[in-house]
Amino acid sequence: MIIGIAGKACSGKNAAASFFEKRGFRSIDVDKLGHEALEIQKDVVIEHFGRDILTEAGEINRKLLGRIVFRDISKMKELETITHPVIYTLVETIIKSAHNEKIIINAAILGTSGMDVFCDKVLWIDSPLYSRVKRAFNRDRNR
């Protein structure tokens, strides 16, 4: 059984995933795989967005890259074409190695990346805008 958990930012996807993890489901956190995909595709990302997105240590500054892509939908699409195929492959590999485990795919991008095809069921987690903004503020304040 593979269940996809989708929803907007700060809607409660992680809480829902935790509910299933406590019941024996293996969790695939697509946000974490997104960080891995950025590293795998680092040279391509730099080619598309320039060296200015790098920290002094030579790592991709995800906050800076985020500011760039969230201000320009075409830049977001560009980044998605670079990272989504890698994320898809990483999820597919995990599923193939799971040997019939119960799995949760925790992914805001579940549908847009095509990973919903892996799922037997998809749960959409919804939360009022005010609650999501408050959670985002608290999350970002603690980073």
Side-chain angles (χ1 to χ4, degrees), residues 115-127:
M115 288 183 286
D116 55 328
V117 301
F118 298 130
C119 302
D120 299 305
K121 302 283 182 190
V122 174
L123 298 177
W124 178 263
I125 308 301
D126 199 5
S127 182

Side-chain angles (χ1 to χ4, degrees), residues 5-104:
I5 297 177
K8 294 183 178 180
C10 297
S11 61
K13 294 181 300 297
N14 291 343
S18 177
F19 172 87
F20 285 98
E21 288 169 13
K22 290 175 184 171
R23 285 151 182 83
F25 281 74
R26 178 179 181 178
S27 182
I28 300 174
D29 185 335
V30 172
D31 277 348
K32 289 181 182 172
L33 294 180
H35 298 171
E36 191 174 330
L38 274 178
E39 186 58 34
I40 291 168
Q41 294 290 84
K42 181 178 177 179
D43 292 340
V44 178
V45 173
I46 293 168
E47 181 181 315
H48 283 261
F49 294 95
R51 299 197 66 77
D52 291 342
I53 64 164
L54 297 177
T55 65
E56 288 183 19
E59 299 300 318
I60 292 175
N61 182 331
R62 291 194 321 266
K63 280 188 175 183
L64 177 57
L65 182 58
R67 283 195 297 270
I68 293 168
V69 300
F70 286 117
R71 288 182 182 153
D72 183 341
I73 191 72
S74 67
K75 297 283 188 193
M76 176 66 83
K77 295 291 183 192
E78 193 174 339
L79 181 61
E80 288 173 351
T81 62
I82 296 167
T83 58
H84 282 193
V86 174
I87 296 167
Y88 183 98
T89 300
L90 292 169
V91 170
E92 185 176 41
T93 301
I94 293 168
I95 290 170
K96 285 181 178 178
S97 69
H99 308 296
N100 296 322
E101 288 180 77
K102 299 180 296 183
I103 296 175
I104 286 293

